[in-house]
Amino acid sequence: MENKEHTNNDLSNRYKYAIEGTSDGLWDWNLENNDVYFSKNWKKMIGYEDDEIENILEEWTKRIHPDDKDQTIKDIVNNQKKLSEYYQNTHRLKHKNGSWVWILDRGKTHFDDKGKAIRMIGIHSNITELKNLELTLADTKKELNQLKLVIDNAEIAIIIVDIDAKITYVNPCFCKISGYSKKELLGLNPRILKFKEETNEEKFLDLWSTISRKKTWGGIFRNRKKDGTEYWETATILPILNKNKEISNYLGIMREITKEVYLEKELREKEELMVSQAKNAAMGEMISMIAHQWRQPITTISMNANNIIADIELEIFDEMEVKKIAEDITVQTQFLSNTIDDFRNFFKTDKDINDFKVRALLEELSSIILPSLENNNITFDIICDDKVRLKSYKRELLQVLLNIVKNAKEAFFHKNISENKKIIVEVETLENKVKIIITDNAGGIPDDIIKRVFEAYFTTKEDFNGTGLGLYMSKIIIEQHLQGKLKASNTKFGARFSITLNNLKNK
């Protein structure tokens, strides 16, 4: 018995010497008297000097991580019960500085002749760096799996192209949109998707020029599916750089907008139809105004001509009187000619932004509508500094102003207002903006209507052939074409329309 114990001690000492020549830590646990030995390296591994930790089992049990303790003890017991040939476990021990050290713990139980567990000897290896790397790799793998799940289920198309313009990756959405399988697309040039009628080569030159300079390009493509049908998509394409900051691949992120493009086209066609209807209605109104303004001059010319004929027939022809009549006819015909010019200019389309005096525009408005207002006993006042200028589309603004003033004129008629009728156009300057305010004293717009006055085809003038397009088109012209704001409200006397405009820049 003594020889066996002596042999074990010798074996233990040799093991201790061998272990202390490494960075691993040795532990030796006498299961009969519960004595424990921890080597210097064992203690150093968790930040302690040899004399700072007692050689008792509690020093280990109080430092093991709570989440690891049960499994570790289970593995130790299993080895003591001969359920495993060797004991091996990975757990965490608390370092002196409060951090956790990952330990690979390996050992073996020794038994007496009767099979009783009498001793366990093992070693600790610090695998913190390896474990942290393992955890990092696990997190990275998890993130990659999550990213793959997102990309595979995303409703955006993703494509990767190499520097030779060959497709190296497409996600399922890209295949779904294009109609091609992943296998069919890999190795091909993305131009296989180019729509045959797409002739905008400048777009593709700009694309490659941008991404070749390591910048991001964004735009819209009209592409072709495998079955030949067209589809539209927004695209963001950017270069992928390697560690040397050189382009290795190009990443494309696309979203199909075919429905949106077709809807926009439909809305644009609808808007063009509305514009045409509004212009036809405006033209009818202009013709009515022309007829009204021409009626008096034509009557005067006709009367002068009849006077000349009567003088000739009565043989009382007076040369000076005829000259006077002829001069009056000239004045009247000049008025007719000026009226034609006013209305002809009204229907011109602005191609360029005009720089003009706002007062001059309002006086042109007055020359068109004033005779009609005066005929209805409506006073028309302009309050505007002669120095106020604006850069905008002059004729489109004039069209809006005419429509608003005309609506004000009709409001007096519909509400049977016969006295003290006024329409005022006032201009204010606000920093870099110009505000044009049109007010009347026709009683205002009813509360249940004012929120709908800018809706298409909404009109309160069914009995008066209202189209419901005037204010709708005015809103579009001001806010989309002139990039301003058009609002409707009421004062205590009547309606108030305000137009706020910025100075535009020629493109």
Side-chain angles (χ1 to χ4, degrees):
M1 183 73 175
E2 291 180 1
N3 288 336
K4 186 173 183 180
E5 185 175 344
H6 179 74
T7 301
N8 282 340
N9 287 333
D10 287 344
L11 180 62
S12 178
N13 288 333
R14 290 193 199 101
Y15 199 52
K16 292 175 184 177
Y17 295 143
I19 289 299
E20 291 191 4
T22 70
S23 60
D24 292 335
L26 171 70
W27 55 270
D28 188 349
W29 182 13
N30 187 324
L31 299 176
E32 292 182 305
N33 59 20
N34 216 31
D35 286 342
V36 176
Y37 168 78
F38 299 121
S39 71
K40 290 181 180 180
N41 283 346
W42 190 99
K43 299 173 183 179
K44 189 176 181 180
M45 196 175 295
I46 55 175
Y48 293 92
E49 296 298 328
D50 190 26
D51 60 353
E52 290 184 289
I53 290 183
E54 294 184 71
N55 288 319
I56 57 175
L57 186 61
E58 186 183 358
E59 297 285 7
W60 174 79
T61 57
K62 73 181 182 181
R63 287 180 172 82
I64 189 169
H65 196 288
D67 293 344
D68 304 335
K69 188 173 183 177
D70 290 345
Q71 184 61 47
T72 305
I73 292 174
K74 181 180 178 181
D75 290 342
I76 290 172
V77 172
N78 285 341
N79 189 247
Q80 292 175 359
K81 290 181 178 181
K82 296 184 179 181
L83 296 177
S84 61
E85 184 177 358
Y86 296 97
Y87 156 70
Q88 180 170 313
N89 178 272
T90 300
H91 57 265
R92 287 161 285 181
L93 292 180
K94 195 163 191 177
H95 194 276
K96 185 178 180 180
N97 64 14
S99 64
W100 293 99
V101 179
W102 281 97
I103 301 296
L104 174 61
D105 192 8
R106 293 160 291 176
K108 184 175 175 61
T109 304
H110 295 272
F111 303 90
D112 63 12
D113 293 339
K114 296 180 181 181
K116 178 184 176 183
I118 59 173
R119 189 177 186 180
M120 282 192 79
I121 300 175
I123 58 173
H124 275 190
S125 298
N126 187 340
I127 60 167
T128 303
E129 290 187 9
L130 182 63
K131 192 66 179 180
N132 287 338
L133 178 60
E134 179 186 327
L135 293 173
T136 300
L137 289 174
D139 288 342
T140 302
K141 184 177 180 181
K142 182 180 178 181
E143 289 176 359
L144 289 173
N145 287 336
Q146 289 176 336
L147 181 60
K148 184 178 186 303
L149 184 66
V150 170
I151 291 174
D152 286 347
N153 292 279
E155 289 299 317
I156 56 173
I158 297 174
I159 181 175
I160 298 178
V161 179
D162 64 21
I163 56 175
D164 295 320
K166 292 182 179 179
I167 300 172
T168 59
Y169 173 82
V170 290
N171 74 333
C173 183
F174 192 99
C175 297
K176 179 182 176 182
I177 292 172
S178 66
Y180 289 92
S181 69
K182 186 174 183 178
K183 185 177 180 180
E184 289 174 315
L185 289 169
L186 294 181
L188 296 179
N189 189 300
R191 277 182 172 257
I192 189 176
L193 302 170
K194 181 184 175 185
F195 195 75
K196 61 183 179 180
E197 295 179 6
E198 179 62 71
T199 58
N200 192 352
E201 288 296 331
E202 290 184 4
K203 178 193 296 181
F204 295 98
L205 291 174
D206 177 58
L207 161 62
W208 283 107
S209 172
T210 301
I211 60 179
S212 297
R213 289 183 280 116
K214 303 178 183 179
K215 295 184 178 181
T216 301
W217 182 90
I220 296 176
F221 284 125
R222 181 191 188 194
N223 282 340
R224 176 174 58 91
K225 296 187 179 184
K226 183 179 179 180
D227 62 8
T229 58
E230 71 171 14
Y231 70 96
W232 294 82
E233 62 184 6
T234 59
T236 300
I237 301 175
L238 61 152
I240 301 173
L241 307 181
N242 59 25
K243 61 181 181 180
N244 297 321
K245 303 297 181 181
E246 297 172 341
I247 298 174
S248 60
N249 296 89
Y250 299 101
L251 171 67
I253 303 171
M254 291 88 169
R255 184 177 70 85
E256 186 180 5
I257 56 169
T258 307
K259 289 182 180 179
E260 290 92 328
V261 169
Y262 288 164
L263 179 60
E264 183 181 348
K265 182 180 179 182
E266 182 180 337
L267 290 174
R268 189 165 56 248
E269 290 174 350
K270 185 178 179 181
E271 182 180 313
E272 289 174 356
L273 176 61
M274 288 181 176
V275 170
S276 177
Q277 291 175 337
K279 282 187 175 180
N280 288 338
M283 189 172 293
E285 292 166 355
M286 292 301 102
I287 290 173
S288 176
M289 289 183 185
I290 291 173
H292 174 79
Q293 293 195 36
W294 274 23
R295 188 170 290 112
Q296 181 61 41
I298 289 175
T299 300
T300 301
I301 291 171
S302 177
M303 287 178 58
N304 284 332
N306 287 333
N307 288 338
I308 292 174
I309 293 172
D311 287 348
I312 292 173
E313 289 178 348
L314 295 173
E315 295 183 351
I316 56 174
F317 185 81
D318 185 333
E319 185 176 331
M320 292 300 297
E321 185 64 25
V322 170
K323 183 179 179 182
K324 191 175 179 181
I325 291 173
E327 288 174 349
D328 187 38
I329 291 174
T330 300
V331 170
Q332 299 301 327
T333 54
Q334 185 61 48
F335 174 82
L336 296 177
S337 178
N338 291 340
T339 303
I340 288 292
D341 287 340
D342 287 341
F343 288 99
R344 182 180 62 188
N345 290 334
F346 175 80
F347 284 106
K348 283 183 179 179
T349 301
D350 288 326
K351 294 182 179 179
D352 297 312
I353 293 170
N354 312 113
D355 184 347
F356 56 91
K357 286 185 176 182
V358 177
R359 184 170 187 88
L361 176 71
L362 297 179
E363 288 174 351
E364 185 174 348
L365 167 68
S366 177
S367 69
I368 295 173
I369 194 129
L370 188 59
S372 177
L373 297 178
E374 289 177 341
N375 189 56
N376 287 274
N377 298 316
I378 299 172
T379 302
F380 184 66
D381 292 329
I382 297 172
I383 303 172
C384 177
D385 192 312
D386 191 53
K387 296 179 181 179
V388 179
R389 302 187 70 87
L390 183 64
K391 291 181 181 179
S392 190
Y393 293 102
K394 182 178 179 181
R395 307 245 67 84
E396 293 195 18
L397 178 56
L398 179 60
Q399 181 179 343
V400 171
L401 292 171
L402 181 64
N403 184 65
I404 294 173
V405 172
K406 178 179 64 65
N407 282 353
K409 183 198 80 171
E410 293 172 353
F412 290 114
F413 177 75
H414 298 155
K415 295 180 179 181
N416 296 316
I417 298 172
S418 59
E419 295 181 354
N420 194 31
K421 296 180 284 185
K422 292 181 181 180
I423 298 174
I424 300 172
V425 181
E426 186 174 358
V427 178
E428 298 177 357
T429 53
L430 307 168
E431 295 181 358
N432 294 324
K433 302 176 188 279
V434 172
K435 191 170 187 179
I436 303 174
I437 304 166
I438 304 100
T439 57
D440 62 55
N441 59 346
I445 306 168
D447 292 338
D448 60 334
I449 291 176
I450 195 166
K451 294 180 180 179
R452 301 188 60 194
V453 293
F454 295 117
E455 291 180 12
Y457 298 113
F458 176 77
T459 180
T460 59
K461 301 179 287 186
E462 286 84 355
D463 295 336
F464 301 93
N465 299 317
T467 64
L469 288 173
L471 288 177
Y472 170 77
M473 290 310 305
S474 295
K475 185 86 166 174
I476 288 179
I477 290 171
I478 294 299
E479 300 194 353
Q480 294 186 19
H481 299 191
L482 308 188
Q483 300 172 27
K485 291 290 181 183
L486 173 58
K487 295 181 179 180
S489 59
N490 284 319
T491 68
K492 64 180 180 179
F493 301 110
R496 179 184 188 271
F497 286 85
S498 64
I499 301 169
T500 306
L501 298 167
N502 297 309
N503 283 310
L504 299 179
K505 294 180 179 178
N506 279 301
K507 297 180 179 179

